[in-house]
Amino acid sequence: MFNTLKKLLCFLALTAVTSAISAAEKDTTFVATGNPIVSYKYLGDPAAMVYDGTVYIYAGHDECPAPEQYYLMNEWCILSTKDMKTFTEHAYTFKAKEFKWAKGEAWASQVIERNGKFYWYVTVEHATIPGKSIGVAVADSPTGPFKDARGSALITNDMTTQYTSIPWDDIDPTVFIDDDGQAYLFWGNTQCYYAKLKENMIELDGPIMPINLPRYTEAPWIHKHGEWYYLSFASEFPEKLCYAMSKNINGPWEYKGILNELAGNSNTNHQAIIEFKGKTYFIYHNGSINPHGCGFRRAVCADLLEYNPDGTIKRIQMTTEGVFK
Ligand code: FUB
């Protein structure tokens, strides 16, 4: 009798633990009522992708406990929405340590689709080559599971030392597939770089080339609207977001000034720009989660981006209301 009771208690305890675990592993759906989109956890470096009528936002998870003041980022999280109002945060997260050659540190990233596969370009700290590196993971679905596509870094610090000796210049990948099918990787801190990617998306297809942009810091993002290519980027520090335009992905890039002012509550402001259902969205981070939000505990926001008739972009207005009507 005593043994049976013990077994029953044991079973009940295990069931409770299992339910708690599955609850934590479930997707979370919520309606955004204003900026930031997610206010229950800190997320930074949003990269957005539109695929099959859905917006996906990939963001690094800021885990820095207050009052500590540096990045603590082990994983990236995924949000999705079909209407920019009701969002799902997917239970699946992708961890920086899934790259066996990396020490960790889930810095900025971007996902792109090609031929039904999803490629996630990420910044991580390399385990044996000093400095930051860019890795690429692949999945059959935009929400994973993702796995290291190469088993080694795509870009390492030693590949760019001719341009700068700092060990953190190889960060912040942004990827773009041009109308002729050629894919390009842009990245860089202090110095902006770009290179062609092979059709397989996991190997470079030519040399690494520098792009000189005034007061360039980091966070490049490439997008195209009409005939214009746009290269937006973080400038100076604390960062404003600026942009340049060109009629050719290979440049020359004409600097066009400030796109978004200082966030004020975050020293970085990393942006993504997407077109979705007739509107252009500017998705970025600031430090707007009260009371401990800051440059290391960031929050993902969305506002509208509008063009002038000549293709230049109107200054972004960061709002508390956001775009979620
Ligand atoms: O999240 C870490 C770093 O902060 C990113 O790589 C930069 O773009 C800046 O947002």
Side-chain angles (χ1 to χ4, degrees):
M1 173 67 185
F2 179 69
N3 270 346
T4 314
L5 189 64
K6 232 168 85 180
K7 273 185 196 155
L8 180 66
L9 285 173
C10 203
F11 171 76
L12 288 174
L14 272 178
T15 312
V17 170
T18 315
S19 325
I21 289 170
S22 12
E25 284 175 353
K26 278 190 188 142
D27 294 351
T28 308
T29 295
F30 61 94
V31 174
T33 52
N35 279 324
I37 298 173
V38 172
S39 50
Y40 54 83
K41 78 199 283 188
Y42 300 113
L43 296 172
D45 303 324
M49 174 183 75
V50 178
Y51 179 75
D52 199 17
T54 302
V55 175
Y56 295 89
I57 299 175
Y58 302 85
H61 184 190
D62 273 335
E63 299 172 62
C64 172
E68 201 181 319
Q69 293 296 305
Y70 196 61
Y71 301 111
L72 176 58
M73 306 179 77
N74 295 306
E75 62 180 5
W76 297 271
C77 300
I78 307 174
L79 301 169
S80 67
T81 177
K82 287 185 185 303
D83 58 6
M84 288 301 283
K85 188 172 174 58
T86 301
F87 286 80
T88 297
E89 186 197 348
H90 295 267
Y92 171 79
T93 61
F94 183 45
K95 314 256 185 247
K97 284 199 174 146
E98 285 179 40
F99 294 97
K100 296 291 173 251
W101 47 267
K103 255 190 212 165
E105 300 194 17
W107 284 23
S109 72
Q110 187 180 345
V111 177
I112 197 165
E113 182 268 347
R114 179 159 214 165
N115 299 329
K117 296 226 178 268
F118 299 85
Y119 296 90
W120 198 340
Y121 298 82
V122 303
T123 311
V124 287
E125 182 75 18
H126 204 284
T128 54
I129 301 170
K132 291 280 181 291
S133 287
I134 294 173
V136 53
V138 65
D140 294 326
S141 148
T143 53
F146 284 84
K147 63 175 192 336
D148 186 355
R150 293 170 47 97
S152 64
L154 175 61
I155 306 288
T156 49
N157 185 52
D158 52 357
M159 293 162 76
T160 55
T161 40
Q162 71 188 98
Y163 300 106
T164 168
S165 56
I166 62 168
W168 62 89
D169 59 315
D170 296 294
I171 66 170
D172 294 4
T174 179
V175 66
F176 178 80
I177 302 174
D178 207 353
D179 301 333
D180 62 2
Q182 178 64 56
Y184 297 85
L185 182 74
F186 288 68
W187 74 98
N189 174 294
T190 312
Q191 174 66 58
C192 186
Y193 306 107
Y194 82 115
K196 285 183 180 170
L197 287 170
K198 289 189 180 165
E199 166 94 26
N200 67 14
M201 298 299 275
I202 64 168
E203 289 174 279
L204 296 189
D205 195 11
I208 293 175
M209 294 167 284
I211 306 173
N212 292 321
L213 296 160
R215 295 175 291 285
Y216 173 86
T217 302
E218 59 183 3
W221 180 269
I222 292 283
H223 79 280
K224 193 176 182 204
H225 178 75
E227 293 188 327
W228 288 105
Y229 296 86
Y230 296 83
L231 171 47
S232 52
F233 56 94
S235 176
E236 304 181 311
F237 200 80
E239 298 175 346
K240 298 177 183 67
L241 297 173
C242 295
Y243 75 106
M245 290 168 66
S246 178
K247 284 271 170 78
N248 191 313
I249 188 73
N250 294 296
W253 294 98
E254 192 179 336
Y255 178 69
K256 292 292 180 184
I258 299 171
L259 177 57
N260 194 33
E261 292 288 359
L262 291 173
N265 48 19
S266 164
N267 46 19
T268 63
N269 197 207
H270 206 121
Q271 80 296 357
I273 296 167
I274 49 160
E275 299 195 359
F276 180 63
K277 297 191 175 167
K279 290 180 179 163
T280 307
Y281 291 93
F282 184 78
I283 300 173
Y284 59 99
H285 70 224
N286 58 23
S288 62
I289 298 180
N290 286 326
H292 296 300
C294 66
F296 306 107
R297 291 185 286 278
R298 296 166 294 182
V300 172
C301 301
D303 277 299
L304 288 181
L305 180 149
E306 290 174 326
Y307 297 93
N308 293 308
D310 65 357
T312 56
I313 307 178
K314 293 186 180 165
R315 191 79 60 98
I316 299 290
Q317 200 178 349
M318 291 181 278
T319 68
T320 297
E321 294 79 6
V323 288
F324 314 107
K325 296 195 179 98

